[in-house]
Amino acid sequence: MTGTAPVPFTADDYKARLDRAARQAADAGLAGLLVAPGPDLVWLTGYAPPAVTERLTLLVLAAGREPVLVVPTLEAPDAEKATGAPALALRDWTDGKDPYALTAALLDAQGRFGVSDNAWALHLLGLQKALPGTSYVSLTEALPMLRAVKDAAELERLAAAGAAADAAFEEIRNVRFSGRRESEVAADLAALLRRFGHSQVDFTIVASGPNGANPHHEAGDRRIERSDMVVLDFGGLKDGYGSDTSRTVHVGEPTEEERRVHDLVREAQEAGFRAVRPGAACQDVDRAARAVIADAGYGEYFIHRTGHGIGVTTHEPPYMIEGEERPLVPGMCFSVEPGVYLPGRFGVRIEDIVTVTEDGGRRLNDTERGMVMVD
């Protein structure tokens, strides 16, 4: 089951994104943006090079100027086929030529530019050598909210990815856990995500017993035992947009303490969700969830932020963390995932992706948040 194909993005969609990015760059006092192959380039143009190599591929974007995509000549035919290509001018370069000289001619020689976080140092240093008067800042620092507010088509894809992850959970709760290795259950989860339409699986955390106290535990060879709590955290990309959900299950009958901690985390997750509304600060979501856990005496065991943004990557701004005062805006999507981690014993995490609506929030995950017992 993969569901119906999403409505394709159009050339107009990509042009609107390019225009938005150029405006935001100008508002931030930048001369422009330099976007290397990766999530930002795909989001802005629909183009993903067939391979990321030492050959320079770079989108040059500045307000008031036509966007230019610098590409190796051998990859120009692929770039021309990208859905967003009609909004771009292509400048190709052949092996043996200097791509930095070609790119430098497009830039303000004294400008300050935002650069995508995954740009190669090789290319940035090449530009600095060609234009010593330029300076650079990472896109995450300069324009952290560039991709944060999703349009209706993006929200539809995120909802479909969430539903696919939910379907994977409904299946995995019926498999046998006891006596199997964490890595075997993780492989089951990965296969289920792909069965339900994911083209890319980014992570399948299966953290049993004491391993559950490590939030980013890598599924390993530990055999899951009866009486274990098991943290499941999994996600990836479906039709280019991310899923990420966590549930904590129990093998057999839980103890009173395990139920109490699980109920506490569920209460905290609900409090974080209830704090989602337009105009609230990102940190308000963290504060609401954290207060529940701290008031119960477990504050020192909640050791990470409450949430992270999601879109064309599974982790991106905004972040639900103390000190992040940016306001929530309708269309933002992020996780709400408080947890309690008791070293050497067990952990509990419950996570949904939430989108901000005009009057509150909407969950994109809706599987059981109460204690689920497995065999």
Side-chain angles (χ1 to χ4, degrees):
M1 184 188 85
T2 59
T4 58
V7 175
F9 295 125
T10 67
D12 287 342
D13 292 328
Y14 290 112
K15 184 179 186 308
R17 294 175 187 178
L18 289 164
D19 291 344
R20 185 206 306 182
R23 286 195 306 271
Q24 288 189 17
D27 290 344
L30 298 174
L33 303 180
L34 305 177
V35 184
D40 291 314
L41 185 63
V42 172
W43 184 78
L44 285 165
T45 69
Y47 177 54
V52 179
T53 72
E54 73 285 353
R55 292 186 174 96
L56 179 71
T57 294
L58 198 68
L59 173 66
V60 179
L61 187 61
R65 300 185 186 179
E66 184 179 27
V68 177
L69 183 62
V70 177
V71 295
T73 299
L74 76 168
E75 293 174 4
D78 291 314
E80 290 170 348
K81 296 175 185 175
T83 305
L88 305 168
L90 261 61
R91 299 284 186 271
D92 65 306
W93 62 276
T94 57
D95 288 348
K97 302 294 184 181
D98 183 354
Y100 306 113
L102 170 64
T103 306
L106 305 171
L107 305 180
D108 177 348
Q110 302 298 318
R112 181 172 174 78
F113 296 89
V115 181
S116 51
D117 297 1
N118 55 337
W120 283 23
L122 170 72
H123 300 318
L124 189 57
L125 292 169
L127 286 174
Q128 286 181 315
K129 184 176 180 180
L131 291 175
T134 54
S135 59
Y136 304 90
V137 61
S138 75
L139 275 188
T140 289
E141 180 181 344
L143 299 179
M145 297 296 108
L146 177 62
R147 304 194 317 249
V149 178
K150 275 65 178 179
D151 61 27
E154 291 181 291
L155 289 173
E156 181 180 329
R157 293 189 186 211
L158 282 162
D166 282 359
F169 177 72
E170 294 296 353
E171 292 283 335
I172 202 69
R173 63 185 288 184
N174 294 318
V175 309
R176 183 165 186 81
F177 280 67
S178 179
R180 301 179 69 210
R181 299 183 190 279
E182 292 174 338
S183 57
E184 293 172 331
V185 178
D188 288 345
L189 264 175
L192 286 167
L193 285 171
R194 292 190 178 94
R195 189 212 298 179
F196 291 114
H198 280 64
S199 59
Q200 177 177 312
V201 176
D202 287 344
F203 47 89
T204 51
I205 293 172
V206 178
S208 63
N211 289 341
N214 175 0
H216 280 174
H217 171 71
E218 291 280 345
D221 289 336
R222 183 182 185 276
R223 289 195 181 275
I224 301 170
E225 301 174 1
R226 292 200 70 80
S227 80
D228 276 348
M229 290 279 254
V230 185
V231 178
L232 305 173
D233 184 347
F234 50 97
L237 298 182
K238 180 181 186 297
D239 295 317
Y241 281 74
S243 69
D244 186 0
T245 187
S246 301
R247 294 292 186 264
T248 303
V249 301
H250 197 278
V251 187
E253 193 69 29
T255 65
E256 181 179 338
E257 182 190 22
E258 288 169 334
R259 283 190 180 277
R260 184 172 68 251
V261 173
H262 193 281
D263 287 346
L264 174 65
V265 174
R266 180 176 58 172
E267 182 184 349
Q269 207 267 349
E270 178 67 19
F273 170 68
R274 295 294 180 192
V276 175
R277 62 185 182 280
C282 291
Q283 68 181 5
D284 293 341
V285 179
D286 183 83
R287 287 175 175 178
R290 199 169 299 276
V292 173
I293 293 173
D295 289 349
Y298 287 87
E300 66 183 293
Y301 303 113
F302 181 9
I303 57 177
H304 56 71
R305 64 196 175 202
T306 293
H308 58 82
I310 191 168
V312 293
T313 57
T314 49
H315 282 212
E316 62 185 46
Y319 298 104
M320 307 302 112
I321 190 170
E322 181 67 30
E324 179 51 87
E325 298 180 347
R326 286 186 178 86
L328 301 180
V329 176
M332 283 183 174
C333 293
F334 47 85
S335 65
V336 177
E337 52 176 308
V340 168
Y341 308 93
L342 303 179
R345 300 182 63 205
F346 65 88
V348 177
R349 182 165 63 257
I350 301 172
E351 173 186 16
D352 295 325
I353 299 302
V354 172
T355 183
V356 185
T357 65
E358 294 296 333
D359 57 2
R362 175 170 67 95
R363 299 181 194 266
L364 301 187
N365 297 104
D366 202 25
T367 53
E368 176 60 52
R369 295 176 195 90
M371 179 73 78
V372 170
M373 285 174 279
V374 297
D375 292 328

